Structures are given as C-alpha cells and as structure tokens.
Amino acid sequence: MHIALIGASGQAGARILQELARRGHSVTAIARDPARIAAAPGVTAVAGDLFDQAALAERLAGHAAVISAVHFTASDPEKLIGAVRQAGVPRYLVVGGAGSLEVAPGKRLLDSPDFPAAYRAEAEGGAAFLARLRQEEALDWTFLSPSADFHAGERTGRFRLGTDQLLVAADGRSHISFEDFAVVLVDEVEAPRHSRARFTVGY
C-alpha cells in the first residue's frame, strides 16, 4: 500500500515508519527535516511544511492513506485535514492523545485535578482535533489514542484495545510503548475496523 506519513521523524512517527517498512509498504515519509528520517526499504523521505496546505496536499496526492504523527500544539487541524481532502486521499489516521479519554463517565483524563500542567496545552489540542474530526463529513478518519504513559519500549504484540475510556493495567499503570502502538495503527491501516471513530490501546 502507498502511504504518506506526516511527522515521520518523531518518537511515534519513527516507530510507525519502521512498522510500515517492516510490512513492505511504500511510504512517503514527511518531516520538516527529512535528513532525520531513518532510511529503510520502500521509504522516500521528503520535506514538508505543515502550515502550507497547498504544498502539503501535493505531497499527499496519490496515496491510499495518510497518517499524521505530529504534535497538536505544532500544527493546525484545519490545514492538515484540508490538505488530505485537497489531495483526494480517502483515509486519514491520526496519532491521538490520551487526555480526551474518559476516566469516569463524562470526565476526561485532562479534567483530572492532578493532570500535569506541562501537558495540558497538547492534551487540549488533541481533544479539539478529535472534536473537529467528528464533524468531518468527507474523510474516512481514525483517531488512535495511546494510554497515559506513551513511551519507548518493546514491540511485544500483546496489548488491549478500547474505545473512549482510559485503559489501566492490573498493576495500576496506564501505558503503551511506541512500538506496540505502531503495530495497532498499521493493523488499522491494513484492515480498517474503526472507521470514523476513536479507539485506544494499552497493556
């Protein structure tokens, strides 16, 4: 499958790129600095400006799906969604955030009194992005939220999936590795099960 990956040099993006290449996909890997993108079979690294909608749309045209793995505080949802629509790509998958997941009925993680102030702006940006996608009528979108602790680790292939509620393991931790998150996201690319929906993954 021919896939465009925006934010391919980031922590999550780099693991998603590895997983796509591992499975033999053809990937256009887009980053501000393409020199930071790891070389791999089937991967073409290109420069891209997230705020130049027209130029980004040109990069995205002709792909079967677009994945974006960029910080919400460093991007504009209208320009990203607009570029995907302008490019005529039917599927759009987003690396989401955990802040908008519920920890109790009607209560989001980011509404918790002890939610770290350093992550609040990013979490609120992710929640706003999801709300915007839920209004989107033209794209077949998917928003995959990680667990609260999203970290470098191992590709175990063992995890649980959920919908809008934060997943917490038996040890009380809510966590997922970048590597296993990538497995789940690429599974969704290959065999869509969450069309126009948000879901989550955790241990």
Side-chain angles (χ1 to χ4, degrees):
M1 193 181 299
H2 196 31
I3 299 163
L5 173 59
I6 306 170
S9 64
Q11 292 274 33
R15 272 69 169 201
I16 293 166
L17 181 61
Q18 290 172 358
E19 188 68 24
L20 288 167
R22 174 184 185 139
R23 301 195 198 185
H25 292 286
S26 171
V27 186
T28 300
I30 302 169
R32 195 175 309 165
D33 179 6
R36 294 181 57 208
I37 297 172
V43 173
T44 302
V46 299
D49 181 350
L50 303 185
F51 294 97
D52 187 338
Q53 180 176 320
L56 185 58
E58 288 185 11
R59 293 289 196 206
L60 302 180
H63 294 84
V66 173
I67 300 169
S68 70
V70 298
H71 288 293
F72 299 112
T73 52
S75 59
D76 180 342
E78 294 301 329
K79 291 188 182 297
L80 286 172
I81 292 168
V84 178
R85 291 180 61 176
Q86 188 175 333
V89 180
R91 295 190 62 213
Y92 182 38
L93 299 95
V94 177
V95 175
S100 58
L101 291 166
E102 291 186 340
V103 293
K107 182 180 179 181
R108 303 173 302 176
L109 178 62
L110 69 87
D111 298 324
S112 303
D114 57 348
F115 190 84
Y119 300 122
R120 181 165 297 280
E122 181 69 13
E124 290 177 344
F129 203 121
L130 177 58
R132 171 62 182 84
L133 283 172
R134 284 174 166 159
Q135 299 172 353
E136 178 60 35
E137 298 179 352
L139 293 176
D140 180 3
W141 59 270
T142 298
F143 189 97
L144 176 56
S145 287
S147 289
D149 181 7
F150 194 22
H151 57 82
E154 297 180 4
R155 184 187 188 276
T156 71
R158 298 186 301 274
F159 40 73
R160 294 182 295 146
L161 301 182
T163 53
D164 291 311
Q165 290 72 43
L166 184 74
L167 295 175
V168 179
D171 62 3
R173 293 181 64 196
S174 173
H175 65 119
I176 190 70
S177 70
F178 295 126
E179 291 79 4
D180 277 336
F181 181 96
V183 171
V184 173
L185 188 66
V186 178
D187 284 349
E188 184 68 22
V189 171
E190 295 178 340
R193 294 172 53 202
H194 301 87
S195 175
R196 300 182 60 80
R198 184 261 289 280
F199 73 116
T200 186
V201 57
Y203 293 126

